[in-house]
Amino acid sequence: MNENQAVQYLESMIGQTLRIHATDTRIFVGNFKCTDAARNIILGQTYEYRFPTPSAVHDAAVETEKQESESSRVASPNLKVNMTSRFIGLVVVPGQHITKIELEETPQQIRVREALRKQ
């Protein structure tokens, strides 16, 4: 991809919803606004997601174990603990901390992309 194609591609991404993974395991989901030469990315209307802390996982495991022993059910090998999230609005994600960038597409966008690919 030459420089002109890269610029056009980035311009086509403006306003799209991106999911950005950071080195500290946080995930940012927001509308792509712009980027710069240092690979910093600005997102608007952004939510930050964090994995549960080890203590939260432990507490959930203890609570689940307690409930299962009270109801005489067989212990489940799976434990589900939700990620925590918060709305942060406009955010700059430093380029050196980005590990992965994903485009979030709606089902309709996926169908359109697949239809264009088949042509």
Side-chain angles (χ1 to χ4, degrees):
M1 180 181 291
N2 66 35
E3 184 178 338
N4 192 30
Q5 290 172 319
V7 169
Q8 286 179 345
Y9 179 73
L10 281 174
E11 286 175 348
S12 75
M13 300 293 290
I14 292 175
Q16 297 288 328
T17 301
L18 298 182
R19 186 180 315 121
I20 298 180
H21 298 253
T23 54
D24 62 0
T25 72
R26 288 184 294 171
I27 300 171
F28 299 94
V29 178
N31 296 325
F32 177 57
K33 298 295 183 188
C34 66
T35 187
D36 62 13
R39 297 183 322 238
N40 301 314
I41 293 181
I42 297 179
L43 297 176
Q45 300 296 310
T46 307
Y47 285 86
E48 173 195 63
Y49 295 90
R50 293 177 180 255
F51 286 98
T53 62
S55 63
V57 172
H58 178 268
D59 293 346
V62 168
E63 184 63 32
T64 300
E65 192 174 291
K66 188 188 307 180
Q67 289 175 355
E68 288 174 348
S69 66
E70 289 173 0
S71 64
S72 303
R73 291 189 312 186
V74 177
S76 172
N78 296 325
L79 174 68
K80 291 186 180 183
V81 181
N82 292 330
M83 295 179 81
T84 59
S85 67
R86 66 181 178 143
F87 179 75
I88 54 176
L90 192 65
V91 65
V92 176
V93 183
Q96 73 265 22
H97 294 296
I98 297 173
T99 60
K100 183 178 181 181
I101 300 173
E102 299 173 289
L103 174 63
E104 262 197 12
E105 293 180 300
T106 64
Q108 181 181 3
Q109 290 170 323
I110 293 170
R111 285 191 298 273
V112 169
R113 180 174 42 85
E114 292 299 322
L116 291 173
R117 185 178 293 164
K118 290 179 182 177
Q119 292 179 355

